[in-house]
């Protein structure tokens, strides 16, 4: 009942407070009642953080209000099904900006953002969970939820759960986590626009299945070779004398070891060679490589880390972002 009212109230304010007259009226009401605050959420600000009171238990909730600080983030994957994602599903930042995947963005106003945090932290009590991993079948994919609030960082995993004996508390927390994820999905259903990250990382791996029926351009960058980049990001490919079409798991099923930050000139040259596309194959020294131009999210340049998720993971592992010279290809160690 409380959640249904909350959603109707948020929808109403977002739709109707755009009118200047209604907005002015609302401001007058706020002034009149400020002496005896009856709002379920009160707040105080300090620098780039703010504190407000949750609506259920009156718990104090503090969060960073910077547009580069991630408050809530979700990923999907981790199992043995070969699921690989270049970025998170949802990223919500301290200023209310949310980004869906790597290509759509929207905005929560302060009220909606704090109502969301109040539901997750106060009502659902995620920060006080005794258990963090809810899954019984490790080879299946799951949803991973990251929360940064009250100076705490929490990672929760929501997957197939219940096939093994579990305590009443574990079952209750699993149900609350499911409700929290549903609340989160509902909160980011508003209008969105295209997200276009101005800073781009290079991801590349050697491919053995290039489409030779189409023209494959030569690598247009002289600063480093694709052999250097692919080896730096995915490691040296083991010798395979058996398979006629070997598969490289890196960047197809699993996350890379590193990523490379490109400058504006390099981005332009690669995009020109790809006819404006964000991914494609290149030819270099009798080998073929798949190249992906991956836009950075607002927090990633600051942290020098890409947020990606692949198969065979049970927790988030950031991909280090290199800014500078790409190391040479290491000399293979002779087999004894």
């Amino acid at each position: 009942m409380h959640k249904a009212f909350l959603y109707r109230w948020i929808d109403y304010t977002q739709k109707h407070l755009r009118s200047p007259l209604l907005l002015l009226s609302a401001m007058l009401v706020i002034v009149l009642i400020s002496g005896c605050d009856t709002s379920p959420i009160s707040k105080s600000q300090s620098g780039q953080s703010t504190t407000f009171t949750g609506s259920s238990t009156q718990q104090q909730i503090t969060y960073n209000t910077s547009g580069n600080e991630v408050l809530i983030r979700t990923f999907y994957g981790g199992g043995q099904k070969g699921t690989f994602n270049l970025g998170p599903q949802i990223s919500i930042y301290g200023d209310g900006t949310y980004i869906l995947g790597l290509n759509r963005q929207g905005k929560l106003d302060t009220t909606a953002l704090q109502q969301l945090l109040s539901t997750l932290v106060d009502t659902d009590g995620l920060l006080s969970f005794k258990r963090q991993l809810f899954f019984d079948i490790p080879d299946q994919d799951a949803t991973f939820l990251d929360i940064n609030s009250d100076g705490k960082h929490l990672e929760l995993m929501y997957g197939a759960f219940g096939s093994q004996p579990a305590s009443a508390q574990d079952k209750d927390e699993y149900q609350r986590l499911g409700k929290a994820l549903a609340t989160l999905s509902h909160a980011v259903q508003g209008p969105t626009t295209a997200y276009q990250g101005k800073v781009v990382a290079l991801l590349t791996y050697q491919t053995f299945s290039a489409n030779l029926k189409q023209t494959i351009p030569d690598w247009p960058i002289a600063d480093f070779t694709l052999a250097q980049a692919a080896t730096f990001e995915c490691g040296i490919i083991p010798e395979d004398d058996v398979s006629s079409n070997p598969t490289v798991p890196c960047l197809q099923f699993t996350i890379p070891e590193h990523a490379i930050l490109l400058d504006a000139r390099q981005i332009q040259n690669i995009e020109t060679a790809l006819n404006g596309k964000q991914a494609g194959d290149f030819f270099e020294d009798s080998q073929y490589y798949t190249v992906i131009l991956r836009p950075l999210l607002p927090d990633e340049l600051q942290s020098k880390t890409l947020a990606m998720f692949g198969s065979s993971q049970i927790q988030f592992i950031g991909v280090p972002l290199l800014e500078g010279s790409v190391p040479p290809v290491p000399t293979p160690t002779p087999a004894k």
Side-chain angles (χ1 to χ4, degrees):
M1 182 69 180
H2 172 73
K3 290 184 179 179
F5 171 80
L6 174 60
Y7 292 144
R8 289 197 299 271
W9 185 79
I10 292 174
D11 290 341
Y12 179 87
T13 56
Q14 288 177 331
K15 292 177 181 177
H16 297 284
L17 288 187
R18 295 172 184 169
S19 165
L21 181 59
L22 285 175
L23 181 58
L24 178 60
S25 300
M27 292 174 65
L28 290 173
V29 171
I30 292 172
V31 171
L32 289 173
I33 67 174
S34 60
C36 52
D37 185 11
T38 59
S39 170
I41 293 181
S42 60
K43 55 189 176 182
S44 62
Q45 294 185 344
S46 175
Q48 281 197 310
S49 67
T50 188
T51 299
F52 67 96
T53 304
S55 57
S56 295
T57 65
Q58 304 303 304
Q59 175 183 346
Q60 295 292 298
I61 301 172
T62 300
Y63 68 95
N64 193 306
T65 58
S66 169
N68 294 325
E69 292 292 332
V70 178
L71 299 184
I72 305 168
R73 175 166 276 169
T74 64
F75 299 91
Y76 184 75
Q80 304 296 328
K81 295 184 176 181
T83 302
F84 173 73
N85 291 298
L86 287 171
Q89 285 185 310
I90 301 172
S91 301
I92 301 181
Y93 294 86
D95 65 348
T97 298
Y98 63 85
I99 299 176
L100 306 179
L102 296 170
N103 53 21
R104 304 298 299 177
Q105 67 177 356
K107 187 70 176 283
L108 299 175
D109 61 27
T110 301
T111 299
L113 177 61
Q114 292 187 357
Q115 291 285 4
L116 175 60
L117 285 172
S118 178
T119 301
L120 301 186
V121 175
D122 190 22
T123 305
D124 295 324
L126 299 188
L127 295 183
S128 62
F129 274 22
K130 300 299 182 182
R131 181 171 185 152
Q132 281 74 49
L133 304 181
F134 296 89
F135 75 112
D136 291 334
I137 309 176
D139 63 341
Q140 290 193 4
D141 291 331
T143 297
F144 293 78
L145 172 64
D146 283 6
I147 299 180
N148 294 288
S149 178
D150 293 333
K152 300 177 182 178
H153 173 73
L154 177 68
E155 295 184 16
L156 297 170
M157 179 180 181
Y158 182 83
F161 184 74
S163 62
Q164 303 294 328
S167 68
Q169 180 174 356
D170 286 347
K171 293 178 181 178
D172 175 65
E173 290 181 350
Y174 179 70
Q175 294 296 325
R176 281 190 280 157
L177 179 55
K179 291 179 181 179
L181 290 171
T183 299
L184 176 58
S185 296
H186 183 278
V188 295
Q189 294 299 314
T192 60
T193 58
Y195 173 73
Q196 296 178 337
K198 296 181 180 179
V199 185
V200 173
L202 172 74
L203 299 171
T204 185
Y205 61 92
Q206 186 176 349
T207 180
F208 300 91
S209 57
N211 184 2
L212 302 182
K213 294 182 179 180
Q214 64 182 14
T215 301
I216 298 179
D218 293 331
W219 178 237
I221 303 299
D223 305 298
F224 55 87
T225 67
L226 278 174
Q228 285 177 262
T231 303
F232 177 65
E233 294 187 350
C234 291
I236 297 176
I237 299 176
E239 292 186 8
D240 186 351
D241 298 328
V242 178
S243 176
S244 59
N245 187 22
T247 299
V248 179
C250 175
L251 286 170
Q252 297 185 80
F253 307 110
T254 60
I255 63 174
E257 298 174 7
H258 305 90
I260 299 169
L261 187 67
L262 297 174
D263 61 32
R265 174 185 56 82
Q266 293 168 337
I267 296 170
Q268 182 177 8
N269 288 344
I270 296 172
E271 287 183 336
T272 299
L274 291 174
N275 295 319
K277 297 179 181 179
Q278 297 300 297
D281 292 337
F282 283 95
F283 179 77
E284 176 191 84
D285 195 21
S286 302
Q287 303 293 334
Y288 296 95
Y289 298 85
T290 295
V291 165
I292 302 168
L293 298 179
R294 200 283 206 175
L296 266 64
L297 295 169
D299 59 294
E300 293 177 328
L301 183 60
Q302 177 177 293
S303 66
K304 293 292 189 296
T305 302
L306 294 188
M308 304 169 66
F309 217 90
S311 299
S312 303
Q313 286 186 229
I314 60 170
Q315 64 179 0
F316 167 67
I317 303 172
V319 177
L321 186 61
L322 172 70
E323 183 176 8
S325 300
V326 180
V329 177
T331 302
T333 303
K336 295 182 179 180

